Amino acid sequence: MDFYFTRKTKKRYLEIANQLIKDGAEGIILGCTEIPLVIKPGDLSVPIFDTTLMHSKAAVDFQLS
């Protein structure tokens, strides 16, 4: 992780996400391809949704159906 992003970057992403959680968010959408490289399962107290992974799995499922 440190190769692509600094600790400062991860800290800021977590600050933003935790403020959203404090404000009532029940999940966090990782809607940019880079964010899942920084935020990992277990980093936050709510579910995270990796849209890159979700779209990739859906494309594979569609092609294999």
Side-chain angles (χ1 to χ4, degrees):
M1 195 268 320
D2 289 333
F3 177 75
Y4 297 105
F5 298 96
T6 65
R7 287 185 180 92
K8 183 178 177 183
T9 300
K10 181 168 184 159
K11 180 181 177 200
R12 184 65 182 132
Y13 269 108
L14 291 175
E15 287 171 352
I16 293 166
N18 282 314
Q19 184 61 51
L20 291 168
I21 294 165
K22 183 179 174 185
D23 291 343
E26 296 178 11
I28 301 293
I29 297 170
L30 308 180
C32 224
T33 55
E34 306 86 25
I35 299 174
L37 298 173
V38 180
I39 304 296
K40 302 292 184 191
D43 284 344
L44 298 169
S45 61
V46 297
I48 58 172
F49 302 93
D50 178 348
T51 59
T52 302
L53 181 61
M54 294 166 75
H55 285 107
S56 298
K57 285 182 177 182
V60 169
D61 289 345
F62 177 77
Q63 289 298 317
L64 295 176
S65 66

